[in-house]
Amino acid sequence: MSLESPVLAIDPLLDDPRTRILVCCGSGGVGKTTTAAALGVRAAERGRKAVVLTIDPARRLAQSMGLTELDNTPRKVNGVDESAGGELHAMMLDMKRTFDEVVLQHSDPERARAILENPFYQSLSAGFAGTQEYMAMEKLGQLRALDAWDLIIVDTPPSRSALDFLDAPKRLGSFLDGRFIRLLMAPAKVGGRAGVKFLNMGMSMMTGTLSKVVGGQLLRDVQTFVAAMDSMFGGFRKRADATYKLLQANGTAFLVVAAPERDALREAAYFVERLAAEDMPLAGLVLNRVHRSGAERLTAERALAAAEALEEEDDVASEEGLEESPTPLPSGEFDESAENLQKVGIVDQPDGKVGLRTNSPESESQDTNTHDAHRLAAGLLRLHAERMQLVARERRTRDRFVSVHPEVPMVDVAALPGDVHDLAGLREIGERLAQGQPTAA
């Protein structure tokens, strides 16, 4: 008996005009991007003007939404049924271009050029830890400010930890507006050799031999970058705080996406607790790739027992067949009991041809067919047993999550036989999201 949880009603969530932002989050490889895209298609075909902000989708999924190349601008997705008055746009986050847009928007042309050409900025915008998560939030703020869509669906970046998504705005804002930056700004304010000396002392206090490792050129690039960005640091902090409040506001809903695996659900539980601690609205949990069986009354134990019985029956039949096989006679001799081989002429045998029929070609063919049928049935029974064992293992894993968080609404999405690579596949996922029920046996 599986534990029950409240049902996550997807369609009412999508249809509610007060729902303006849906954030799909969770650990990597659990289907966040596919879930976000499927929600976008379903929302649009139910009348919402939706945009999906996706992060590094699989190539097939990107092509299914008309996104053949990286594009930081929302593009309309063709093939969506707009008869209900909705439409769907989609975009893939270009982290560096988003950072460039922030610089261009919040600084004058000369300062912007100095920042964009700075080597340290180029490294920072392309690969600084947390930059992708921060820029996803920057893009979310930009889309919300445009007010061109009544529903924004965000696919969070594939991070080692789902918590990176929540921490990134504060972390990058603190970096650009914190003690490290003030230390780097000090030489420019002090000036001359005293400034250089102060810089070297400060860096030595923090990292010891950092200047020897990275060299003086990098430190000069960092100092030039900091001087150019000085007027923008407060803006980073302000926008990070504004984005954080946007995530907490009414109209935002978080969907935690997981798979019925121990590590994924452990991460999901941790994220649920973090959302509650941060007062962020959790809509529920989407449990992807759930395995089921159409013959659940046949348990794994009964299936294995039946398979073993069939295999034992075949083994016994094979042994009996070997025992009843006639022994070959020496060359030139014959079995005098064989029919019609008596010296005196044709003689009927006492048992007629019954004994001979048991070894006829037709009989041997029938035995072979029976053996093949038993072997096939036993193999199918063992496959069913493996499926039922997988189903039971997934239910136990799910039950552990429900026992800790019984209040979290949940929807189970049955596993598809293949990858999703077109709008039809996304519609199928949307149907399963809307119709799925928490598994209970």
Side-chain angles (χ1 to χ4, degrees), residues 12-64:
L13 180 65
L14 295 177
D15 295 342
D16 190 346
R18 293 171 297 180
T19 303
R20 302 298 304 275
I21 298 174
L22 274 179
V23 182
C24 297
C25 50
S27 57
V30 296
K32 292 194 305 293
T33 302
T34 302
T35 299
L39 289 170
V41 173
R42 190 165 185 83
E45 295 186 338
R46 294 179 67 85
R48 300 298 298 271
K49 292 184 178 180
V51 59
V52 176
L53 169 59
T54 183
I55 314 295
D56 191 25
R59 182 178 180 182
R60 289 182 180 179
L61 183 59
Q63 291 175 342
S64 72

Side-chain angles (χ1 to χ4, degrees), residues 114-136:
I115 295 172
L116 296 177
E117 294 177 354
N118 184 275
F120 179 74
Y121 166 78
Q122 294 172 2
S123 298
L124 173 69
S125 60
F128 184 78
T131 304
Q132 187 179 50
E133 288 84 353
Y134 182 88
M135 289 306 145

Side-chain angles (χ1 to χ4, degrees), residues 13-167:
L13 180 65
L14 295 177
D15 295 342
D16 190 346
R18 293 171 297 180
T19 303
R20 302 298 304 275
I21 298 174
L22 274 179
V23 182
C24 297
C25 50
S27 57
V30 296
K32 292 194 305 293
T33 302
T34 302
T35 299
L39 289 170
V41 173
R42 190 165 185 83
E45 295 186 338
R46 294 179 67 85
R48 300 298 298 271
K49 292 184 178 180
V51 59
V52 176
L53 169 59
T54 183
I55 314 295
D56 191 25
R59 182 178 180 182
R60 289 182 180 179
L61 183 59
Q63 291 175 342
S64 72
M65 302 184 71
L67 304 174
T68 56
E69 60 184 10
L70 189 66
D71 198 330
N72 210 43
T73 302
R75 305 287 182 183
K76 189 173 182 178
V77 177
N78 297 320
V80 173
D81 183 1
E82 300 180 355
S83 59
E87 59 184 43
L88 177 63
H89 288 72
M91 61 170 294
M92 290 182 283
L93 178 71
D94 184 335
M95 179 177 64
K96 187 179 187 310
R97 183 173 170 184
T98 301
F99 210 152
D100 293 348
E101 290 173 354
V102 172
V103 172
L104 292 170
Q105 183 179 357
H106 297 282
S107 59
D108 59 78
E110 183 177 351
R111 188 183 295 266
R113 187 181 72 254
I115 295 172
L116 296 177
E117 294 177 354
N118 184 275
F120 179 74
Y121 166 78
Q122 294 172 2
S123 298
L124 173 69
S125 60
F128 184 78
T131 304
Q132 187 179 50
E133 288 84 353
Y134 182 88
M135 289 306 145
M137 291 299 91
E138 280 280 355
K139 182 56 67 174
L140 170 59
Q142 292 176 11
L143 295 175
R144 187 67 180 86
L146 290 174
D147 203 26
W149 302 275
D150 55 32
L151 178 62
I152 302 171
I153 302 174
V154 182
D155 163 36
T156 57
S159 306
R160 287 185 308 163
S161 170
L163 301 179
D164 290 347
F165 175 71
L166 290 178
D167 291 335

Side-chain angles (χ1 to χ4, degrees), residues 21 56 68 72 102 160 189 193 238 242 283 285 298 343 352 361 404 406 429 437:
I21 298 174
D56 191 25
T68 56
N72 210 43
V102 172
R160 287 185 308 163
K189 295 178 180 178
R193 293 184 177 181
K238 183 178 180 180
L285 175 74
L298 178 59
K343 297 178 181 179
V404 178
I429 292 292
Q437 300 290 328

Side-chain angles (χ1 to χ4, degrees), residues 212-226:
K212 295 181 180 179
V213 174
V214 301
Q217 182 60 47
L218 175 58
L219 295 181
R220 286 191 291 273
D221 290 339
V222 172
Q223 186 179 0
T224 303
F225 163 76
V226 170

